Amino acid sequence: MKLQVKDRPNTYIVLSAKTYTLGRDKANDLVLDAGGISDFHAEVVREGDNIIIIDLLSASGTYVNGQRISGRHQLQAWDEVRLGEVELELNDPSVSRRSRWRLEIRHPDGCVTWHNLHGVAVLGRDADCDIVLDHELISRRHLELQAASNHVQLKDLNSANGTVLNGRQVSEGLAYSGDEITLEPFAAAIVGADTTQSELASAMDRTQLKAEEGDTSVFADGPHTEIVGESFRVAYLVDITDQSADQRHVLVNGEYTLGRQSSCDIVLADSSISKTHAALRVQAGQWFIEDLDSSNGVLVNGLLVKRSQLSQGDRIKLGRAELIFGFETRSRSQSS
């Protein structure tokens, strides 16, 4: 096990049965000559199988996974530690690396914290939540996030003031890297490991703009996009019938057929699906799903429908197939 500087793979300390100090002074075990580093900034202690980090009353503080610590703090494998301008990672090859997802949260006072997402995390005002947002407008248990292989699933926990994904209030939905979540007065961005810092800053700027100025979106001339400032949204449909291998369809045309027949635009190979089961169509910038006289019908959020307008996070059932409709946000540069 070692504590490694993230952007310098050859700069690290191997953590055996001793105490290590980190800081700017050359007497430290790990010398970090960078902005915001105190002469003797922090201490790392190995106690049996436990790794403890202690802030040595540094000027700029010691942060673990985006949260400033005080006193002793036990580290877990793959935790990220920040001292001034230096980011380190607790590298443990015996433990699988956590999910590539993280949540960047901008607080009402302007500060930003980030949180690794792996498995299920609950956000809320209650101290027992995985991510605590201490504000009167946040419900005690406000939102649940579940990290999957290629998306993060959202579920609003019947909060008083709701959850907004990419500018639209949702009860459930799927988020991808760069998507934006608003829990007034907090703004957040979903970030994948492959997201650059400039992309992250852009996502956070868009999120803050929405939180403060509201959604000023207008529909573009094309049937499937929605322009919001310097970005636009493209509709998608995700087949989550098999959670281990979900399939995502970006909807770039104005009409799609869904069914078992190979000539359909989106093929759902299951005997419970009619040959041409349903159609997705755009009308006046809004997406609708229509039942094409299928045998087993079309359900939207549990209700049997003949034709229904779709919103972010709507859950669709066609026979045994289950799909989720939503929007992803792209920059204008991605469309060129």
Side-chain angles (χ1 to χ4, degrees):
M1 186 181 294
K2 61 185 179 182
L3 189 64
Q4 176 178 317
V5 178
K6 290 185 66 176
D7 59 355
R8 293 184 300 202
N10 295 323
T11 304
Y12 60 87
I13 48 175
V14 177
L15 302 175
S16 55
K18 62 174 291 187
T19 298
Y20 300 86
T21 57
L22 296 75
R24 185 186 294 272
D25 194 282
K26 293 183 179 179
N28 287 282
D29 299 289
L30 183 60
V31 179
L32 302 171
D33 188 8
I37 304 291
S38 297
D39 288 342
F40 293 90
H41 196 112
E43 182 178 71
V44 177
V45 181
R46 180 156 193 164
E47 299 177 351
D49 293 331
N50 298 325
I51 305 296
I52 310 297
I53 189 167
I54 306 165
D55 182 74
L56 299 177
L57 301 177
S58 63
S60 62
T62 297
Y63 293 77
V64 177
N65 297 331
Q67 300 280 4
R68 187 167 185 168
I69 67 167
S70 60
R72 294 162 55 90
H73 183 93
Q74 183 172 332
L75 295 175
Q76 305 295 329
W78 305 108
D79 273 353
E80 297 184 14
V81 177
R82 179 165 59 84
L83 313 179
E85 296 178 357
V86 178
E87 290 189 352
L88 306 100
E89 183 175 62
L90 184 59
N91 187 321
D92 186 352
S94 68
V95 177
S96 297
R97 183 182 286 272
R98 291 175 179 173
S99 164
R100 70 190 190 95
W101 300 104
R102 65 178 180 176
L103 188 69
E104 303 273 350
I105 301 177
R106 192 185 300 277
H107 294 248
D109 62 1
C111 77
V112 176
T113 60
W114 51 266
H115 309 265
N116 289 323
L117 297 177
H118 52 96
V120 177
V122 174
L123 289 72
R125 194 173 77 246
D126 198 293
D128 292 334
C129 290
D130 301 292
I131 300 174
V132 178
L133 302 176
D134 188 13
H135 194 280
E136 60 184 4
L137 295 180
I138 301 297
S139 296
R140 294 188 181 278
R141 292 173 60 85
H142 195 113
L143 174 67
E144 179 183 281
L145 300 177
Q146 182 169 3
S149 60
N150 68 343
H151 64 263
V152 175
Q153 187 160 352
L154 290 75
K155 182 179 180 182
D156 185 83
L157 301 177
N158 296 318
S159 64
N161 293 313
T163 297
V164 174
L165 174 63
N166 293 331
R168 298 190 179 198
Q169 189 156 330
V170 297
S171 56
E172 293 187 10
L174 296 184
Y176 295 86
S177 188
D179 282 354
E180 307 147 22
I181 302 171
T182 303
L183 309 178
E184 290 287 4
F186 296 86
I190 296 286
V191 183
D194 54 351
T195 302
T196 66
Q197 287 301 310
S198 61
E199 289 170 334
L200 168 59
S202 175
M204 287 304 300
D205 287 345
R206 291 197 308 271
T207 306
Q208 186 181 35
L209 178 66
K210 281 202 180 75
E212 293 179 354
E213 299 183 9
D215 187 357
T216 58
S217 59
V218 296
F219 288 107
D221 294 334
H224 57 282
T225 61
E226 186 182 347
I227 303 298
V228 184
E230 294 302 313
S231 63
F232 66 93
R233 299 195 189 106
V234 178
Y236 63 79
L237 193 68
V238 179
D239 184 351
I240 62 168
T241 309
D242 181 359
Q243 291 279 359
S244 65
D246 55 17
Q247 298 182 47
R248 186 163 171 264
H249 307 275
V250 178
L251 306 178
V252 296
N253 299 317
E255 183 171 346
Y256 290 83
T257 54
L258 296 80
R260 194 175 76 246
Q261 193 164 265
S262 60
S263 60
C264 289
D265 301 300
I266 298 175
V267 178
L268 303 170
D270 188 281
S271 59
S272 65
I273 306 295
S274 297
K275 289 183 179 180
T276 52
H277 196 113
L280 287 170
R281 296 190 177 96
V282 170
Q283 182 178 348
Q286 300 293 331
W287 279 96
F288 292 83
I289 190 166
E290 183 177 341
D291 183 15
L292 299 179
D293 297 322
S294 64
S295 299
N296 293 314
V298 174
L299 283 81
V300 177
N301 299 326
L303 298 176
L304 188 65
V305 300
K306 180 61 179 176
R307 185 173 184 269
S308 177
Q309 182 177 332
L310 296 175
S311 300
Q312 178 78 29
D314 279 350
R315 192 176 292 262
I316 302 166
K317 288 204 72 174
L318 311 178
R320 284 186 289 266
E322 188 166 3
L323 309 101
I324 292 180
F325 176 87
F327 294 91
E328 68 173 3
T329 304
R330 296 184 178 183
S331 66
R332 288 189 180 183
S333 61
Q334 288 176 288
S335 63
S336 57

